[in-house]
Amino acid sequence: MKRPIYIFSDGVLKRKNNTLYFESEGVQKFIPVENTSEIYIFGEVELNKRFLEFLTQSEIILHFFNRYGYYVGSFYPREYLNSGYMILKQAEHYLDTQKRLSLARTFVEGGYKNMRQVLKYYQSRGIDELERYIQQMENLFGSISNINDINTLMAIEGNIRQTYYSAFDLIIDKDDFKFEKRSKRPPKNALNALISFGNSMMYTIVLSEIYRTHLDPRIGYLHTTNFRRFTLNLDVAEIFKPIIVDRLIFSIISKNMLKPEHFEQDLEGIVITDSAKKLFIDELEQRLSTTISVKNIGNYVSYRQLIRIELYKIEKHLMGEKEYQPYVSQW
Amino acid sequence: MERFLDIKGHIVQAYVVCKRQAWLLSRNISPVQDNPFLEIGKLISQQFYKHDKKEVYFDGVVLDLIRKEDEVLVVGEIKKSSKKVAAAILQLKFYLYKLLKHNIKARGKLLIPEEKKTYDVELTFEDIETIESLLSEITEVLSSFLPPLPQKIKACAKCSYKEFCWA
């Protein structure tokens, strides 16, 4: 099984003897290329074209993050799975307003249902006040079937998410991790910093999975395409953010794994320390490799495979074979 | 109708096992690359028969291997196991048919190095008929707008399209 590699230290990444090699102050390490699915770079790393060529040949994506943990960008190697047929289908569903709206609505629906599922889960564990938020989200969601433009749909999606986030203080109930309100770039408190970091990770995970399919990440449906940025991964991530990122955040906070020392105040806002990022990523990897049983597929699949399966479902929708139904968690 | 007439060998082979797979291949919807069975297959054809000419492009198809035996051209097809022998033999006959259309007489050899097995394959008159009717049948299936629905067959178990078909 191929695994992602995370690099936090500063150093040089290069190709050596047909494999990947990382050199940093006194540490030299070979990274087996056959077992690497993608590389995340958090430190200051030097690399050259020869290395990028080797990554292209080995079909490995490189994701870069800056010192604040913000996503910088990805080296997305030349596509190795090409299907002109699928690209045309993807464009067709973008250009036809009705087709685009119906897919965009499905992403909002998937996101909403999973957010509701998260709140219901905590409601079943005794937080009764959540009912009010669930109701409010339900009302908002009820209006999306009449919406005929993407911007309004996006706005409603935003409102649903706002309501959902405002329930976080009820679930977490810890002074060090108050939510207050959503703040980004820069996040104003530890919880917001965690959400931003987790979401960025989710976007890159979905992007990596898209690279392994015939879909083009530049054509998204809910998030506006301008054919320059990756957007399809943002669409699909909506579905998985609540059940993977948010549940993970609740779980590491409730287990007291994170302390105020894991966060630093910077001129620009709150910064997550490397040790907190590592801890988060460890837990995230564990979650992604957790297997669950899924109808039809027959056997147990991991959450990571589940993301890939979601992309296959979208491909089948584009082909006109089977209408896309987003994955909704069933705990 | 789009032009699907340049049918490739692997499509013929796939068609015999699973029509849906042939349809997907015709749209270049290739299977997941991280399937271990596919990787093993690739390694096997790299590993063996290093003295022969390999991966020869001919009229839109790729012949795994060619060599001369007693002044006769031999076309080889390398497979991992003898599980789907019938489909593999048909694929090979399809290559022989293509060569014949270009006035090249050849014999075929199905090679299964891991099992130390080889099968000699020759193109008969009946084969030519079978292949021609098969090709028109394939063309018809491939030109349909939707792929044939997935059906649970024995081959599904190790198929690299599994997650795609049942998603």
Side-chain angles (χ1 to χ4, degrees), chain A residues 199-216:
Chain A
N199 288 349
S200 305
M201 287 302 297
M202 202 62 234
Y203 298 141
T204 59
I205 291 161
V206 177
L207 181 63
S208 304
E209 291 304 316
I210 290 177
Y211 182 57
R212 317 233 168 260
T213 69
H214 299 85
L215 295 166
D216 189 316

Side-chain angles (χ1 to χ4, degrees), chain A residues 65-113:
Chain A
F65 288 77
N66 73 8
R67 56 180 295 265
Y68 296 104
Y70 298 170
Y71 176 60
V72 172
S74 302
F75 171 67
Y76 195 82
R78 185 187 66 224
E79 296 272 3
Y80 67 104
L81 293 175
N82 281 305
S83 168
Y85 166 81
M86 195 54 84
I87 298 284
L88 288 176
K89 288 284 167 195
Q90 229 186 309
E92 178 196 327
H93 282 255
Y94 182 81
L95 295 170
D96 182 317
T97 319
Q98 284 314 311
K99 285 182 178 163
R100 180 176 170 198
L101 266 167
S102 90
L103 262 176
R105 256 192 227 111
T106 323
F107 291 125
V108 175
E109 180 192 333
Y112 156 72
K113 287 193 171 159

Side-chain angles (χ1 to χ4, degrees), chain A residues 2 80-83 85-86 89 212 214 296-297 299 305 308-309 312-313 315-316 319-322, chain B residues 20 23-24 27-34 145-150 152 162-167:
Chain A
K2 293 188 176 191
Y80 67 104
L81 293 175
N82 281 305
S83 168
Y85 166 81
M86 195 54 84
K89 288 284 167 195
R212 317 233 168 260
H214 299 85
N296 291 339
I297 305 290
N299 39 16
Q305 279 171 290
R308 177 90 63 89
I309 288 168
Y312 290 152
K313 278 155 65 179
E315 288 192 4
K316 286 164 85 166
M319 286 162 65
E321 194 181 16
K322 193 174 171 189
Chain B
R20 181 179 167 84
W23 191 97
L24 293 170
R27 263 66 169 181
N28 237 338
I29 301 178
S30 38
V32 275
Q33 300 295 301
D34 39 18
F145 185 70
L146 285 176
L149 285 173
K152 266 257 182 302
K162 186 169 68 183
E163 282 87 359
F164 180 86
C165 285
W166 304 104

Side-chain angles (χ1 to χ4, degrees), chain B residues 2-123:
Chain B
E2 286 168 69
R3 201 173 145 261
F4 292 119
L5 293 172
D6 49 340
I7 293 169
K8 307 268 191 291
H10 67 298
I11 292 186
V12 174
Q13 195 262 348
Y15 185 85
V16 179
V17 181
C18 170
K19 291 180 183 170
R20 181 179 167 84
Q21 187 186 3
W23 191 97
L24 293 170
L25 282 172
S26 76
R27 263 66 169 181
N28 237 338
I29 301 178
S30 38
V32 275
Q33 300 295 301
D34 39 18
N35 183 305
F37 302 105
L38 271 180
E39 274 176 30
I40 294 169
K42 264 188 220 163
L43 285 174
I44 289 174
S45 42
Q46 265 172 33
Q47 198 82 32
F48 293 91
Y49 316 110
K50 289 199 169 140
H51 299 296
D52 294 301
K53 247 195 143 132
K54 297 207 295 196
E55 306 226 335
V56 182
Y57 289 81
F58 171 78
D59 190 20
V61 297
V62 186
L63 310 173
D64 276 358
L65 166 165
I66 54 168
R67 62 165 78 129
K68 272 243 151 102
E69 271 176 23
D70 313 321
E71 293 305 302
V72 182
L73 179 71
V74 173
V75 176
E77 172 66 22
I78 307 168
K79 291 282 181 220
K80 178 165 57 82
S81 82
S82 54
K83 250 197 180 151
K84 297 172 204 159
V85 156
I89 287 178
L90 201 66
Q91 181 182 359
L92 203 42
K93 283 181 176 169
F94 168 70
Y95 293 150
L96 297 176
Y97 169 81
K98 279 221 144 195
L99 288 161
L100 192 71
K101 286 277 149 189
H102 287 78
N103 286 321
I104 303 170
K105 263 202 84 80
R107 282 189 294 133
K109 229 181 186 109
L110 178 61
L111 306 159
I112 304 159
E114 290 281 84
E115 300 176 3
K116 295 195 169 62
K117 275 184 198 161
T118 61
Y119 297 82
D120 287 312
V121 176
E122 273 187 77
L123 193 69

Side-chain angles (χ1 to χ4, degrees), chain A residues 7-12 22-25 42-46 274:
Chain A
I7 295 178
F8 283 93
S9 14
D10 301 347
V12 186
F22 183 66
E23 202 174 45
S24 105
E25 277 173 44
F42 293 93
E44 282 307 320
V45 166
E46 279 177 44
D274 277 354

